Amino acid sequence: MTTMTPTTPRATPQESAGKPLGRPFGTSKLTSRGVANAVVLIAALYTMLPTVWLLLASTKNADALFGSDILSLSDFSFVSNLSDLFAMDGGLYREWYLNSLLYAVVGALVGSLISVSAGYAFDKYEFRHKEKLFGLVLTGVMVPQTVLALPLYLVASGIGLVNTFWAVFIPVLFNPFGVYLARILSNGYVPNEVLEASRVDGAGELQTYVRVSLRMLGPGFVTVFLFQLTAIWNNFFLPMVMLSDQHLYPLSLGLYTWNSSATVSPEYYPLVVIGSLLAVVPLIVAFITLQRYWKSGLTAGSVK
């Protein structure tokens, strides 16, 4: 007759080594996610703080703006500030706003088309000194735009474009970083096999680019457009060098002029604040409207 001896459970490697068991995987994952969410929330609040201040300050008159009651709901002057903004100096703010839209939106559209076309050519075609020319483009990326302002002014002065719309519009059409980014996006979005199939079907190079490649580069085009739109909208130094006629000023230069005048005429301070608030609206609208294309454009080529 055999006797059954009780079996003892086998010790785990951690127990046999005398080490305590670690925390469950789920708890560690939740803790990491909570820390990440907290960091993102703090960063978002820090980023939104200037906009929140602009929103609150735009509802105050000059006296309340320099007081300690900016968070109070009294002295609500948003409507009167808005009316004064568009009436000041014969409606100059309206002209500045339209100028900025013209410089930024039209300039970004044309500039993005130039950048995407150049980046596509660098990616898909072989020609003499291709990499050397692209190296010049990369050199242009590293040169600050403020360094180019004086040479651009001398060139514009030589051909009689100073203090004209074209003195600000033409230079913003050419963006070396846009060309560099467009080449990367072209490599990620446009397969060479598709181009070969289009050529086999009898399509020319221009027809292939317009009907096939440019459509596939849609998210990349939007990405370059948003970068150039932001850069042109915030452009300040070039208009300050090129322009002396206030009717040609963009918003950045116009609000700077009013802010400089506010030291003598304090009534300009509320107008500068509410004008700055309205100045960020087009950028917010553009990023919210085009964000799905922008996100896909930034991840081009990351997954093969």
Side-chain angles (χ1 to χ4, degrees):
M1 182 176 178
T2 60
T3 60
M4 302 294 293
T5 58
T7 59
T8 57
R10 182 177 298 176
T12 62
Q14 287 181 328
E15 290 176 339
S16 61
K19 296 180 181 179
L21 291 172
R23 289 185 298 177
F25 176 74
T27 305
S28 177
K29 185 177 181 179
L30 290 176
T31 302
S32 301
R33 182 180 299 176
V35 172
N37 290 337
V39 172
V40 171
L41 179 61
I42 293 173
L45 292 175
Y46 177 79
T47 304
M48 291 297 297
L49 186 61
T51 305
V52 173
W53 185 91
L54 276 178
L55 187 61
L56 295 174
S58 63
T59 64
K60 306 299 178 184
N61 54 30
D63 296 331
L65 190 60
F66 291 98
S68 58
D69 55 349
I70 192 172
L71 296 179
S72 68
L73 298 179
S74 60
D75 298 326
F76 187 83
S77 305
F78 182 83
V79 177
S80 60
N81 288 341
L82 194 63
S83 177
D84 294 339
L85 175 67
F86 288 100
M88 180 63 71
D89 295 340
L92 265 180
Y93 184 81
R94 186 183 298 106
E95 294 184 27
W96 295 341
Y97 213 99
L98 293 176
N99 290 339
S100 289
L101 289 175
L102 189 59
Y103 290 136
V105 177
V106 179
L109 280 173
V110 179
S112 299
L113 183 60
I114 294 174
S115 297
V116 170
S117 301
Y120 173 83
F122 274 115
D123 178 48
K124 300 302 180 184
Y125 296 105
E126 295 295 332
F127 47 89
R128 292 185 60 186
H129 308 300
K130 169 183 170 180
E131 296 303 328
K132 293 180 180 179
L133 292 175
F134 190 70
L136 291 177
V137 173
L138 296 181
T139 303
V141 174
M142 295 183 288
V143 176
Q145 295 300 312
T146 53
V147 176
L148 301 176
L150 182 57
L152 287 173
Y153 173 81
L154 295 176
V155 172
S157 177
I159 58 180
L161 291 181
V162 173
N163 199 30
T164 65
F165 165 82
W166 303 106
V168 177
F169 182 76
I170 293 177
V172 300
L173 299 180
F174 306 98
N175 183 5
F177 177 74
V179 177
Y180 165 73
L181 183 61
R183 181 177 183 178
I184 298 175
L185 295 170
S186 175
N187 185 48
Y189 273 108
V190 185
N192 294 327
E193 294 79 5
V194 176
L195 302 182
E196 291 297 332
S198 177
R199 295 181 184 122
V200 169
D201 290 339
E205 295 298 327
L206 182 60
Q207 186 178 13
T208 299
Y209 173 67
V210 174
R211 294 188 176 183
V212 179
S213 302
L214 196 56
R215 294 184 179 183
M216 300 178 70
L217 283 170
F221 181 88
V222 172
T223 304
V224 177
F225 170 79
L226 287 175
F227 275 107
Q228 294 207 212
L229 177 70
T230 305
I232 300 172
W233 188 266
N234 296 324
N235 194 11
F236 169 76
F237 194 69
L238 181 64
M240 186 178 67
V241 171
M242 293 291 188
L243 302 176
S244 58
D245 185 0
Q246 289 191 349
H247 297 281
L248 296 174
Y249 283 1
L251 277 174
S252 57
L253 185 56
L255 291 174
Y256 170 80
T257 304
W258 276 2
N259 188 60
S260 301
S261 302
T263 56
V264 179
S265 304
E267 65 270 13
Y268 279 107
Y269 279 121
L271 306 185
V272 171
V273 172
I274 192 172
S276 300
L277 177 65
L278 296 182
V280 303
V281 172
L283 294 181
I284 295 175
V285 172
F287 273 86
I288 291 177
T289 305
L290 302 174
Q291 65 174 341
R292 65 189 184 98
Y293 299 103
W294 178 52
K295 290 179 181 179
S296 60
L298 289 178
T299 57
S302 60
V303 179
K304 290 292 185 181

